[in-house]
Amino acid sequence: MEALRHGNFATLGTAVEDWTGVIRRLTEMEKRSRDDLRSKANKANWAGVNAAVSREFINRTAGEFSDAVKQATSIRNILRDVRGELVGYRDELNRVIDRGWDKHLSVVGTKGGGFTVYVNVHPEPDGSREAMTLLRDEIQGILTKATESDSTAGRALKALANHAEYGFSGGPVYKDRDAAADAMKAADEMAKIVKDPERRTGADLAKLNDRLKRYGQDPLFSERFALAAGPKETLQFWAEVTDRYAGVKGNQLHELQDLQKSLSLTLAAATYSDSAPMKEWKSDLINEGTSNFRADPANPIKGPIGALGFQVISSLMGQGKYDSEFLEDYGKKLLKSDMAPSGAVGMHTNDVWTSPDQSADLVFGKGNGRDPLIGFMSALSHNAEASISVFDDKSTLDHVLQSTKYTDRGESVGRALEAAVSGFEFGSVSNEPSPHSATQVEIMRNVMNAVAQPSGGAELVDKAIGANFGHMASGYMPEISQALTGRGSDSIFLTNSADPQGLDKSDVERFLYAVAQDDGGRAAIRLGETIYTSSLLEAHISDPSLFRGEESIPIKAIAINAGLVQGIVGHATADLEISGSLEAQKKENEALKSQGDLYKAIASAGVGMGAVALAPQHLSGQMVGAAGGGFFGGIVGLAVDRMMSGREVDDALDESLYASGKGLAHAQESVVSQTQDAAKDAVTRHGSEIPEDSRAYWILEGVNSGWTRSDQVLEDIHARPSA
């Protein structure tokens, strides 16, 4: 009581002013780091160690300023709010004490922070005992509210400070102490629902979902919820919920799917805390991987074989971006179990997770959640950094890829690989280019090598992963082009990849041929090549100084490469012998439309999504990268539009580019037409003194040369049905 009664909050007011100044200065630095430092780093033509390390370090550092502004603002707001509240409680306390004095009542502090109320005159006036009780209760009420304000502010400030061991914690900005306190209070209440299966009702689950959706991305809420619920208890909760509501349909099914999503997002947010309790929580959660979680632990007769911890954990990883270090630690233990069976790589992995006595269904949707690699791969697809770290181990990469032949994890594996080789999380869109590091190129080289193997490599394309391979090829068109053309082509096939010649030529050829046998993969390669070719032509025509030599050389080289890549795809299509099947033609055209719509959406929104790299990066004034060069509103968009026009099949008639069922000749003519039109668009947009006839002939000669070469390439490396 004495601390509040005589409290001098001037220094706290000074702190609020100081933090306001910190916010102002950090905001200025954040803007400079974003608009100047990071922008220049992404556009620079880095090489060697700088390309792999310096750029990433600069981008991370720039991102820290944004988090610093958020954290500083939250701290200032909480301090400002609690100061105002404590000043108000102090003034109220003094007014109440003064009113008591008027009634001959005195208040004095006691040891330990308490207080005593007594009558200060004798004899005691009538009603003094009742007045003493009322005054005591009123003062105690003020002290209780002041203590709540002080203690909750203290917990919130400590949680913010401890959340990140290094750097700053991101998340939302807390507008005042109440906002932070409400989040932490809600976390405690929701944790009770998780830990109380006996009294848990459907209404409780609905309330839990509502709070998780409202607060799930709040760092204070997510951490406190995870800690209060406990790692083992959270897994037990989900095992019980999925068992109790197994087989539900309609609205109830959608509500439970929503709960699963909300819980996944919340736990993902919690893993970013580096506080000591959360480090222990994450370690304990991973250690539960081999534990058995029965739906009803008290009744061993019901479901004697429960779900393994790995299965439960992974079933809650489908949404959200989990912390990289956590995913790497979790992945090591999970993959150790997945890779345990002896025999051919990946062949018996399904036996580890499938038991005839197990009835667990841990997901309210496709599949049953028993294969924990599916959920883990989904988590990797949302965290490119973690996916790179996991797939940097070639033995892991080989195992995971080969295991797709014997499991249903191909789709999630494909998305995780896309994230690894591209640097873009699945479903994300960025307005800045993301160059490939040497590690990413090595992962792509290993993927290509696996698919290129004569004994069974092409089988990898058949497991719901073909389109992903196509996206990856699309994103690596610069490296693919340099691999196919050879050394000395770097000044033509522009890129700022850290290892532009890191792919193996024969693996590239076999990979393209195998992936082109899948409808989605074929469409993605065609679109990726078309986009890269179009942007290359625009770059060289707009800035001839990029290549110091005869102006015909880069245009011919680009055209040869287009003919070679599209020729490999065209021959792969012909080898499928689909020309007589209307149904097959419809599937191919549907795939091209689907991929085309995706690429157009990417082009209008930003530089990349998934593994799609839409333009070369180079240093030529306004043509720095895709974002600066305006490619997306220019000839790349026109090129995609040409490919997409008239994609409807009617009695096998289709007049658009690359129409299926029209044979190799039509496909070859389409490459010539598309490449010539792209060059014409670039000339129209930027102006050029290259004679039109010369330009058209160079492209015709180049495409036809590349196309002829593609046939010979495939004859040399592949046993083909059309040979």
Side-chain angles (χ1 to χ4, degrees), residues 272-432:
Y272 282 87
S273 172
D274 287 326
S275 67
M278 270 308 298
K279 286 183 177 180
E280 185 178 355
W281 183 93
K282 287 181 276 191
S283 176
D284 290 345
L285 184 74
I286 294 172
N287 288 335
E288 292 292 344
T290 54
S291 300
N292 192 285
F293 289 87
R294 296 197 305 272
D296 188 355
N299 184 359
I301 298 176
K302 180 183 179 183
I305 304 297
L308 286 173
F310 284 131
Q311 295 172 315
V312 186
I313 296 169
S314 291
S315 72
L316 294 171
M317 283 187 164
Q319 302 289 334
K321 184 176 180 179
Y322 279 78
D323 173 65
S324 297
E325 186 175 351
F326 169 77
L327 286 177
E328 291 163 19
D329 291 342
Y330 176 68
K332 288 176 183 176
K333 289 206 169 185
L334 173 62
L335 286 163
K336 183 178 180 180
S337 295
D338 200 65
M339 299 168 70
S342 59
V345 177
M347 178 177 288
H348 300 293
T349 185
N350 213 32
D351 299 337
V352 177
W353 312 114
T354 304
S355 169
D357 298 322
Q358 188 185 63
S359 59
D361 185 350
L362 296 163
V363 292
F364 293 101
K366 183 180 178 182
N368 55 28
R370 294 182 202 172
D371 182 354
L373 259 290
I374 293 177
F376 177 58
M377 289 294 132
S378 293
L380 290 183
S381 75
H382 296 128
N383 187 322
E385 180 183 48
S387 65
I388 292 170
S389 177
V390 169
F391 290 122
D392 186 28
D393 184 332
K394 190 176 185 302
S395 62
T396 297
L397 174 62
D398 289 341
H399 167 79
V400 172
L401 264 179
Q402 295 300 325
S403 72
T404 62
K405 296 179 181 178
Y406 315 105
T407 64
D408 295 322
R409 59 178 66 158
E411 183 177 358
S412 61
V413 170
R415 291 175 176 179
L417 284 171
E418 273 197 55
V421 301
S422 71
F424 289 110
E425 279 84 30
F426 176 74
S428 69
V429 175
S430 172
N431 59 4
E432 293 183 351

Side-chain angles (χ1 to χ4, degrees), residues 94 110 116 133 153 158 167 266 270 295 307 403 425 473 503 505 545 568 585 597 638-639 674 692 719:
N94 286 322
T110 59
T116 297
T133 300
K158 288 177 181 177
T266 302
S403 72
E425 279 84 30
L503 302 181
K505 180 176 180 291
S545 67
I568 292 173
Q585 292 174 48
D597 290 343
L638 296 176
Q674 179 75 308
E692 181 177 353

Side-chain angles (χ1 to χ4, degrees), residues 14 39 46 65 76 104 201 261 437 495 555 660 685 723:
T14 301
S39 178
W46 299 88
F65 282 104
R76 189 277 310 275
H104 305 291
T201 65
K261 176 181 178 181
S437 68
T495 178
I555 294 178
S660 61
R685 186 177 183 193

Side-chain angles (χ1 to χ4, degrees), residues 146-157:
T147 301
E148 174 72 9
S149 175
D150 180 48
S151 61
T152 55
R155 285 199 299 270
L157 291 169

